[in-house]
Amino acid sequence: MAALNDNFSKAELRIPAGFDISCYVNSSAIPADQIRAAVEHELNTTQFIDIHTHLFQPSLGSMGLWGIDELITYHYLEAELFRFNPITPVEYFSLTKRQKADLIWKTLFIENAPISEATRGVVAVLNAFGLPTSGALTEARAFFESRTLETHIKEVFRLAGISEVVMTNDPLDPDEAPMWEKGAAGDPQFHPVLRLDRILNKWAQHWEVLRSQGYDVQEDGGGKTMAEVRRFLGYWSNLMKPVYMAVSLPDTFAYPEDSLRVKFLTQCVLPICRERAIPLSVMIGVRYLVNPALKLAGDGVGKSDLRALERLLLDFPENRFFTSLLSRENQHELTTYARKFANLMPFGCWWFLNNPSVVEEMTRIRLEMLGTSFIPQHSDARVLEQVIYKWRNTRRTMAPILANTYQLMSEDGRPVTREDIRHDINRLFRENFDTFTRRTV
Ligand code: RAT
Ligand code: ZN
């Protein structure tokens, strides 16, 4: 019998009782009517690597969010609250966390059926832990309060079918940075990423912070600024040992351009990435705070001119770029660029794109144009338990897409084997990340 992952029961793997899995254990062709089950089996038994989240290793203390009130006050749900409840953002943000959660729960889960992607996610998490999905939150709150973080993380990862997550670590976050400097212990389940938004997007508000730390930088980027920012990034790379560096960029991102952002990018970030042999992740297409009153929920999306990315890929062939774009309209173009530039790794269906209809479209385009040479999804989880529903949804959306792909291949004359499916899923959800980051595994 195939070596089923011990972490999954047969029921969890959705293998019907009496189902013949012998075609999975040798390299014989899988019959057409069993391709879908074979794909589901491999998706369910492969432990994915979650390549971009906002989760934190336990040694970073209260940075890491988890539990029912955090799940319900996720900013994706805050944005939905204002569509259904007349409360103003000012009134809402003056509430305590628990009051906010109660209001969102009442509005989006009790007075209305939770049919949106983000609301269904909370339901799926409650369901995964056997908690009530309607009515009062009392039992859910008591359950999460009774958990100890380390064992809870293990259980959450097991339910999500992931082995590791990649964090987002900001060296200019006044809460986070001191913990790294005090020597926060590393964790094999959480990989650091050096996030650059405050340097590349908000230099005017942060140059003095660097200066106060002893870096000889100037607001206009003159003098020793470039060398000093390189020194800053080198210091933080030594401290965090990031698997890559990352930045989110506006839809208006331009390159080449006579701007401080582009100077920092080309004279500081890309050289350090080359020196350390790590990729840079560029996430392009955010329209920051289109509605500032909504705070974290206030960002929007804009279509980008990808000639900027094209020039970066062309000018820096020795750098590797993970890329995720926020606009649906940019996705086909990005996939085409990946066919031109091997130093580009498209990843994920980011933020407003992480809905089954769009994920399906994007994934089909990518598979048809790139085979398995991309990374289909990341969770972007901000609250620990979100990985359970986000990865469940990914598996659910992927299964028919991949099954259809193999079906077409078989119809065209190349039978599909269990090894093909296992190899491809492993490549999509693990190996492409390991290879692109040149991680030794
Ligand atoms: O998806 C999100 O939660 C956004 O708010 C952003 O954090 C985005 O994912 C990012 O990394 O900038
Ligand atoms: Zn993110």
Side-chain angles (χ1 to χ4, degrees):
M1 207 176 112
L4 299 180
N5 187 316
D6 292 342
N7 286 338
F8 290 87
S9 70
K10 236 183 163 189
E12 273 175 305
L13 297 177
R14 285 188 241 119
I15 299 175
F19 185 82
D20 177 13
I21 63 164
S22 58
C23 63
Y24 301 157
V25 292
N26 56 42
S27 50
S28 60
I30 300 175
D33 64 350
Q34 294 189 14
I35 292 176
R36 172 73 178 265
V39 167
E40 283 180 4
H41 172 79
E42 293 304 331
L43 282 169
N44 287 336
T45 49
T46 304
Q47 300 280 291
F48 296 174
I49 298 174
D50 193 341
I51 82 150
H52 169 58
T53 75
H54 299 264
L55 303 179
F56 292 91
Q57 61 199 25
S59 64
L60 293 172
S62 60
M63 299 292 306
L65 305 180
W66 59 288
I68 189 65
D69 288 343
E70 298 295 352
L71 284 166
I72 297 175
T73 55
Y74 185 31
H75 71 85
Y76 291 24
L77 292 171
E78 291 180 327
E80 291 177 31
L81 170 73
F82 300 114
R83 314 246 356 118
F84 288 87
N85 193 295
I87 193 168
T88 66
V90 172
E91 286 161 352
Y92 171 79
F93 287 112
S94 70
L95 301 176
T96 64
K97 169 110 346 145
R98 184 169 280 221
Q99 286 169 332
K100 286 176 184 161
D102 283 337
L103 180 66
I104 295 179
W105 180 254
K106 178 169 113 15
T107 308
L108 298 181
F109 294 81
I110 299 196
E111 293 172 357
N112 294 282
I115 60 170
S116 72
E117 173 76 5
T119 51
R120 272 195 295 104
V122 177
V123 172
V125 170
L126 290 169
N127 195 40
F129 287 110
L131 294 165
T133 55
S134 59
L137 288 170
T138 329
E139 194 180 330
R141 283 190 171 128
F143 169 79
F144 286 106
E145 271 158 28
S146 74
R147 308 287 285 174
T148 48
L149 187 56
E150 271 77 5
T151 48
H152 188 53
I153 290 174
K154 286 205 165 52
E155 174 73 348
V156 168
F157 278 33
R158 188 188 71 79
L159 288 167
I162 55 173
S163 60
E164 297 135 85
V165 302
V166 176
M167 303 182 279
T168 297
N169 305 103
D170 183 345
L172 286 170
D173 181 319
D175 296 321
E176 181 174 0
M179 290 191 268
W180 287 103
E181 299 210 274
K182 278 186 216 137
D187 187 320
Q189 294 177 110
F190 292 82
H191 302 299
V193 154
L194 209 172
R195 183 80 176 224
L196 305 162
D197 288 36
R198 293 193 208 214
I199 293 176
L200 294 185
N201 298 334
K202 294 180 179 168
W203 179 250
Q205 295 90 335
H206 292 94
W207 70 277
E208 281 171 312
V209 180
L210 268 80
R211 207 177 169 87
S212 72
Q213 294 173 2
Y215 294 94
D216 188 4
V217 293
Q218 296 175 10
E219 183 171 13
D220 64 2
K224 295 184 182 158
T225 303
M226 295 300 144
E228 286 293 85
V229 169
R230 276 196 298 275
R231 185 163 75 85
F232 174 84
L233 295 177
Y235 170 79
W236 280 97
S237 300
N238 288 339
L239 211 55
M240 290 178 176
K241 307 208 171 27
V243 284
Y244 61 82
M245 294 197 197
V247 63
S248 88
L249 294 164
D251 58 324
T252 53
F253 169 67
Y255 169 85
E257 182 189 63
D258 184 14
S259 66
L260 262 186
R261 175 192 284 134
V262 165
K263 282 201 185 85
F264 286 137
L265 191 61
T266 57
Q267 296 179 32
C268 307
V269 175
L270 292 173
I272 301 270
C273 285
R274 285 196 299 275
E275 207 178 285
R276 311 254 159 183
I278 55 173
L280 172 67
S281 171
V282 287
M283 305 171 73
I284 314 173
V286 189
R287 295 196 58 232
Y288 298 103
L289 291 180
V290 292
N291 185 352
L294 298 194
K295 301 192 178 182
L296 208 48
D299 291 346
V301 53
K303 187 175 181 302
S304 305
D305 182 350
L306 293 192
R307 283 177 177 80
L309 180 66
E310 174 185 318
R311 283 295 301 272
L312 270 183
L313 293 162
L314 208 52
D315 287 357
F316 298 94
E318 284 162 22
N319 280 95
R320 299 187 301 287
F321 297 86
F322 279 124
T323 304
S324 213
L325 301 175
L326 198 49
S327 166
R328 179 183 180 182
E329 285 66 33
N330 278 138
Q331 300 306 324
H332 180 262
E333 218 178 326
L334 174 67
T335 313
T336 308
Y337 277 121
R339 292 176 64 92
K340 313 294 140 196
F341 296 98
N343 58 337
L344 165 64
M345 176 64 77
F347 78 95
C349 303
W350 181 22
W351 201 344
F352 312 116
L353 301 169
N354 191 1
N355 303 299
S357 58
V358 183
V359 172
E360 192 179 319
E361 174 186 271
M362 284 172 61
T363 307
R364 282 190 198 281
I365 291 174
R366 288 167 168 182
L367 278 172
E368 285 162 0
M369 291 176 71
L370 304 175
T372 54
S373 65
F374 69 100
I375 298 175
Q377 193 53 298
H378 64 274
S379 78
D380 232 312
R382 276 177 186 268
V383 184
L384 177 66
E385 299 85 357
Q386 288 171 341
V387 291
I388 298 173
Y389 87 82
K390 295 201 185 219
W391 285 113
R392 177 190 299 238
N393 291 356
T394 296
R395 287 181 168 91
R396 185 162 58 188
T397 309
M398 283 302 288
I401 297 173
L402 279 175
N404 180 59
T405 303
Y406 293 126
Q407 187 75 45
L408 294 176
M409 185 179 84
S410 325
E411 282 171 18
D412 286 341
R414 162 64 157 82
V416 63
T417 67
R418 177 185 59 87
E419 280 74 20
D420 289 326
I421 301 174
R422 177 171 293 176
H423 171 269
D424 288 351
I425 290 174
N426 189 61
R427 180 166 176 169
L428 289 164
F429 290 101
R430 296 194 63 86
E431 204 182 302
N432 285 341
F433 174 75
D434 283 334
T435 310
F436 209 64
T437 53
R438 309 226 168 118
R439 282 205 318 152
T440 41
V441 277

